[in-house]
């Protein structure tokens, strides 16, 4: 199967807009766990079941980690599925208690996961006795609710769901491949109702229609932690940063750092624990 190319010719039923239209290729990876560094302080490893991401968010700085200009520029239109991911994780003998962040450079619940189930296979390996890591799942994908049965079997786990705006119109401009806000909220409610700790990540925060209503909606979801932030930005050459596409959309919508600060203050009136700093700590 290595190198085989298959394109999902039609969007998966029930998925909005562009979801499910990335070209997907199956590859054999050399490793599945990467030593954590930089912003993943406190973690042992990051775990990326895929390279590339079918969600294709305009602001995604993971695109800067690509080794060619072509892969950078076509970010969102290609995905590599690591067909031997489970095999590699099974070969890791000292998984117990390791602090793992899944994922830092892709989304473990992007559309192709519904078909190939690599993330689910990894969770099946993690729940085995004597192998349980401390896992944080970072996603924009409502498909995470499919795996509640496995997530519940992990002793230390948290699901971080990114919900960046309350406007589906804004969402379509920055995150054309992602599920609606309501579907993400509903998935998060299901995860929380199953007794699994959650974080809502308003990251990067995008323009909001009604900060007060959004804050109350988030509050009612019963989250454990909430985090918010401005676009990731670096002045250093070749460093990961927000893509120009996103800056252009932000400019068109009048979304400035000042507006972000004002909105953050409005949210904090109803969410005083916003940015308590624990939303990204290991589970
Ligand atoms: S879901 Fe995450 S990894 Fe995928 S494109 Fe969006 S920001 Fe990047």
């Amino acid at each position: 199967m290595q190198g085989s190319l298959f394109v999902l010719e039609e969007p998966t039923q029930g998925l909005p807009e562009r979801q499910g239209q990335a070209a997907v290729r199956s590859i054999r990876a050399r490793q599945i766990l990467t030593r954590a560094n930089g912003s993943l302080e406190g973690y042992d490893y990051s775990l990326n079941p895929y390279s590339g991401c079918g969600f294709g968010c305009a602001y995604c700085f993971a695109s800067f980690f690509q080794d060619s200009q072509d892969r950078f520029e076509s970010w969102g239109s290609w995905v590599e599925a690591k067909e031997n991911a489970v095999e590699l994780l099974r070969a890791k003998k000292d998984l117990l208690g390791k602090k793992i962040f899944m994922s830092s450079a892709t989304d473990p619940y992007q559309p192709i996961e519904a078909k190939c189930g690599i993330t689910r296979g990894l969770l099946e390996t993690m729940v085995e006795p004597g192998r349980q890591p401390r896992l944080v799942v970072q996603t924009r994908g409502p498909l995470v609710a499919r795996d509640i049965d496995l997530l519940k079997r992990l002793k230390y786990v948290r699901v971080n769901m990114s919900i960046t705006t309350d406007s589906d119109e804004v969402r379509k401009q920055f995150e054309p491949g992602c599920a609606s806000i309501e579907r993400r909220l509903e998935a998060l409610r299901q995860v929380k109702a199953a007794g699994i700790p959650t974080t809502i990540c308003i990251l990067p925060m995008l323009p909001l229609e009604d900060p007060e209503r959004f804050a109350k909606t988030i509050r009612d979801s019963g989250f454990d932690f909430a985090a918010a932030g401005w676009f990731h930005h670096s002045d250093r050459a070749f460093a990961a940063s927000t893509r120009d596409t996103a800056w252009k959309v932000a400019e068109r919508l009048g979304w400035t750092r000042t507006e972000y600060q004002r909105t953050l203050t409005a949210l904090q009136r109803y969410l005083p624990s916003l940015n308590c700093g624990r939303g990204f700590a290991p589970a």
Side-chain angles (χ1 to χ4, degrees):
M1 274 281 282
Q2 183 173 9
S4 61
L5 180 75
F6 54 101
V7 180
L8 302 180
E9 288 171 356
E10 292 177 17
T12 308
Q13 281 291 317
L15 294 175
E17 295 95 36
R18 210 174 46 70
Q19 278 202 82
Q21 293 179 349
V24 184
R25 182 166 89 101
S26 170
I27 61 161
R28 289 190 71 78
R30 272 182 288 130
Q31 58 177 30
I32 193 63
L33 293 171
T34 307
R35 278 267 166 220
N37 54 30
S39 60
L40 289 184
E41 194 183 340
Y43 287 86
D44 295 302
Y45 299 106
S46 64
L47 195 172
N48 292 288
Y50 302 92
S51 294
C53 185
F55 281 153
C57 305
Y59 47 74
C60 182
F61 57 85
S63 56
F64 283 80
F65 303 135
Q66 304 314 308
D67 56 9
S68 79
Q69 189 66 14
D70 185 44
R71 283 164 75 94
F72 170 77
E73 284 172 5
S74 58
W75 183 259
S77 67
W78 59 270
V79 177
E80 290 172 344
K82 299 177 183 175
E83 64 179 28
N84 59 337
V86 173
E87 185 187 312
L88 289 170
L89 194 68
R90 290 198 71 80
K92 177 84 180 153
K93 298 297 176 211
D94 58 345
L95 206 55
L96 183 67
K98 291 289 184 293
K99 293 171 217 149
I100 294 179
F101 188 84
M102 179 174 83
S103 299
S104 58
T106 189
D107 195 300
Y109 289 103
Q110 59 181 289
I112 189 59
E113 170 60 22
K115 281 202 165 186
C116 65
I118 293 175
T119 299
R120 186 165 175 87
L122 291 167
L123 289 176
E124 284 167 347
T125 301
M126 291 184 206
V127 298
E128 291 173 11
R131 300 180 57 81
Q132 293 216 356
R134 302 172 76 105
L135 179 70
V136 169
V137 176
Q138 182 74 45
T139 187
R140 283 164 172 71
L143 185 62
V144 64
R146 177 199 66 184
D147 291 344
I148 284 174
D149 59 326
L150 294 170
L151 293 165
K152 271 167 66 175
R153 290 168 60 190
L154 288 170
K155 193 167 174 200
Y156 298 101
V157 66
R158 192 174 69 250
V159 171
N160 289 6
M161 177 66 84
S162 298
I163 303 174
T164 49
T165 175
D166 60 348
S167 161
D168 274 311
E169 287 311 308
V170 171
R171 191 258 312 162
K172 284 176 195 168
Q173 302 208 37
F174 286 95
E175 303 172 344
C178 290
S180 71
I181 295 151
E182 186 46 42
R183 287 187 61 220
R184 284 187 250 180
L185 276 166
E186 181 50 32
L188 199 69
R189 289 185 199 110
Q190 288 175 28
V191 170
K192 181 67 191 155
I196 298 162
T198 58
T199 301
I200 288 191
C201 304
I202 315 169
L203 261 165
M205 190 193 293
L206 304 175
L208 299 183
E209 269 176 10
D210 186 338
E212 179 179 336
R213 189 184 58 198
F214 187 48
K216 288 177 178 169
T217 303
I218 286 176
R219 194 178 59 192
D220 294 347
S221 75
F223 68 91
D224 294 278
F225 304 107
W230 178 237
F231 292 112
H232 183 82
H233 179 61
S234 173
D235 287 326
R236 285 187 294 119
F238 309 118
S241 197
T242 294
R243 294 164 68 85
D244 285 349
T245 327
W247 290 121
K248 283 180 190 153
V249 180
E251 191 179 345
R252 185 156 37 83
L253 298 179
W255 185 237
T256 60
R257 189 154 194 139
T258 307
E259 276 302 302
Y260 157 72
Q261 287 293 353
R262 193 185 58 75
T263 310
L264 180 65
T265 304
L267 288 179
Q268 282 173 324
R269 257 183 241 131
Y270 304 92
L271 299 169
S273 64
L274 189 61
N275 282 351
C276 67
R278 291 177 59 197
F280 286 94

